[in-house]
């Protein structure tokens, strides 16, 4: 009977020992976990590079802000120069496209200051008062092209409508030439005519 009791007591002691062992082990584990957490927290808060990173971040942000404030005026000046050059080219291209308006095909004849061509007005000034000049002076229907109109027939000459003529009506231009022969040689031609509409 005593031996049994002793065995039972020994079993109980062993169980208690096992329980104590596990309790101590649990406490050790808890303590180590706490230590690890504290250590990592200490490292995160006290590790110098972290603090430096924060400071450098602030410095970089500040310098970036300075750079922004410094570089901001530059883009203001850059667009000032760019729009000045770009719109000029654009407006030049636009005005080039709009400077000359195509009027269509015209019947183009030629005349000289002789009596055959001009009758009673031979040797005189044009109807606008300007003296005629070869390569410049042209006559037209004032309803189609009023005096002072600048026209281009694609021959490199910019002619001015300075004259009128009894037979010059509608889409008809009479260009002035010094020589009657040259005017006769010109004959009657169909030409594409552009009107200057630029300023
Ligand atoms: Zn003539």
């Amino acid at each position: 009977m005593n031996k049994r009791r002793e065995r039972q007591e020994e079993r109980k002691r062993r169980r208690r020992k096992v329980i104590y062992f596990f309790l101590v082990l649990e406490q050790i584990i808890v303590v180590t976990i706490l230590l690890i957490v504290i250590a990592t927290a200490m490292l995160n808060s006290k590790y110098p590079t972290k603090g430096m990173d924060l400071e450098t971040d602030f410095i970089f942000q500040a310098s970036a802000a300075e750079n922004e404030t410094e570089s901001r005026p530059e883009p203001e000046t850059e667009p000032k120069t760019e729009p000045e050059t770009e719109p000029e080219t654009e407006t030049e291209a636009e005005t080039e496209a709009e400077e000359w308006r195509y009027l269509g095909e015209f019947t183009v004849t030629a005349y000289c200051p002789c009596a055959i061509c001009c009758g009673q007005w031979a040797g005189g000034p044009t109807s606008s008062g300007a003296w005629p000049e070869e390569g410049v002076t042209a006559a037209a229907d004032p309803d189609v092209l009023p005096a002072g109109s600048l026209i281009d027939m694609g021959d490199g000459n910019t002619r001015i409508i300075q004259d009128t003529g009894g037979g010059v009506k509608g889409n008809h231009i009479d260009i002035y030439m010094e020589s009657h022969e040259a005017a006769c040689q010109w004959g009657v031609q169909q030409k594409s005519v552009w009107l200057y509409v630029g300023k």
Side-chain angles (χ1 to χ4, degrees):
M1 291 296 283
N2 287 328
K3 285 181 181 178
R4 280 186 181 177
R5 281 181 182 175
E6 283 177 1
R7 283 178 184 174
Q8 283 179 354
E9 282 179 0
E10 277 182 10
R11 282 178 184 174
K12 283 180 182 176
R13 283 173 189 169
R14 282 177 184 173
R15 282 176 184 174
R16 283 174 185 172
K17 279 182 180 176
V18 168
I19 288 162
Y20 278 125
F21 175 76
F22 277 112
L23 280 170
V24 168
L25 192 91
E26 193 185 348
Q27 282 179 355
I28 287 163
I29 289 163
V30 167
V31 166
T32 49
I33 287 165
L34 279 169
L35 282 170
I36 288 162
V37 168
I38 289 161
T40 51
M42 294 277 277
L43 285 169
N44 283 332
S45 63
K46 284 188 175 180
Y47 204 62
T49 54
K50 285 282 181 181
M52 287 294 286
D53 283 343
L54 286 170
E55 283 176 9
T56 48
D57 282 343
F58 279 120
I59 289 160
F60 278 128
Q61 282 175 6
S63 61
E66 281 174 5
N67 285 332
E68 276 179 8
T69 52
E70 282 175 1
S71 59
R72 269 174 191 168
E74 284 174 6
E76 280 177 7
T77 54
E78 279 175 6
K80 274 179 186 173
T81 54
E82 281 174 5
E84 273 177 9
T85 54
E86 281 179 5
E88 272 180 10
T89 55
E90 281 175 7
T91 50
E92 273 176 9
E94 283 173 5
T95 50
E96 270 179 16
E98 288 179 354
E99 268 180 0
W100 293 92
R101 184 186 299 157
Y102 178 65
L103 294 180
E105 293 289 315
F106 276 63
T107 301
V108 181
T109 54
Y111 71 105
C112 84
C114 78
I116 299 166
C117 294
C118 297
Q120 59 174 319
W121 293 283
T126 60
S127 63
S128 68
W131 285 94
E133 187 182 343
E134 188 173 271
V136 174
T137 300
D141 185 345
D143 292 335
V144 179
L145 289 167
S149 299
L150 299 176
I151 59 156
D152 187 355
M153 305 191 306
D155 62 348
N157 289 321
T158 299
R159 288 185 166 83
I160 307 167
I161 303 302
Q162 295 174 320
D163 213 351
T164 55
V168 184
K169 298 294 175 190
N171 284 12
H172 181 190
I173 289 167
D174 208 9
I175 59 171
Y176 175 84
M177 290 181 179
E178 292 290 341
S179 148
H180 187 78
E181 276 187 13
C184 289
Q185 278 186 352
W186 177 273
V188 179
Q189 299 186 25
Q190 296 294 320
K191 293 284 181 184
S192 298
V193 173
W194 285 266
L195 172 68
Y196 184 75
V197 293
K199 290 173 182 177

